[in-house]
């Protein structure tokens, strides 16, 4: 994953200008596709376009080696503090799964 940074604010969303100082964002770097579940919720009654997925988990994932967080759908049941890994990106949505390598260590 690529993280974009300016003024100490990190984001996985590419922006041309910093929302804090207004300067052009030129700092970008790659971080591992691994993170920790910071918060989560289980969606029981979704919008119509996601009804086929219900129930599903949406989590805020704190990416390793950065302050950036990403909102993601997670296929597994998770708890705060679980380590997860990016599985794929579908239609702009990040899909994570529990990182078994990290859980079995």
């Amino acid at each position: 994953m690529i993280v974009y940074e300016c003024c100490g604010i990190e984001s996985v969303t590419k922006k041309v200008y910093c929302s804090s100082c207004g300067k052009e964002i030129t700092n970008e770097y790659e971080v591992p596709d691994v993170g920790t579940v910071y918060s989560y919720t289980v969606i029981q009654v979704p919008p119509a376009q996601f009804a086929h997925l219900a129930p599903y988990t949406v989590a805020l994932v704190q990416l390793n080696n950065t302050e950036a967080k990403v909102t993601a759908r997670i296929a597994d049941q998770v708890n705060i503090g679980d380590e997860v890994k990016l599985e794929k990106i579908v239609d702009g949505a990040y899909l994570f799964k529990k990182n078994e390598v990290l859980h079995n260590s």
Side-chain angles (χ1 to χ4, degrees):
M1 295 185 88
I2 302 293
V3 169
Y4 306 91
E5 184 274 332
C6 188
C7 299
I9 300 168
E10 297 172 324
S11 173
V12 295
T13 305
K14 180 151 179 74
K15 299 175 185 169
V16 176
Y17 297 101
C18 177
S19 59
S20 179
C21 71
K23 293 182 183 176
E24 186 175 357
I25 296 175
T26 57
N27 298 332
E28 62 181 65
Y29 52 94
E30 195 161 337
V31 296
D33 293 344
V34 177
T36 304
V37 175
Y38 184 83
S39 180
Y40 73 94
T41 189
V42 177
I43 306 296
Q44 299 288 339
V45 182
Q49 68 265 35
F50 301 114
H52 65 285
L53 299 173
Y56 60 92
T57 301
V58 174
L60 188 60
V61 176
Q62 171 77 55
L63 297 173
N64 289 359
N65 304 326
T66 181
E67 293 297 317
K69 294 177 182 73
V70 63
T71 302
R73 194 169 70 229
I74 300 184
D76 309 302
Q77 289 184 338
V78 293
N79 292 302
I80 293 173
D82 282 351
E83 293 179 331
V84 293
K85 180 172 178 48
L86 179 66
E87 182 175 26
K88 58 186 169 182
I89 301 172
V90 176
D91 297 328
Y94 295 99
L95 305 179
F96 278 72
K97 65 179 182 175
K98 282 188 182 180
N99 192 342
E100 298 302 326
V101 173
L102 294 173
H103 280 93
N104 292 328
S105 300

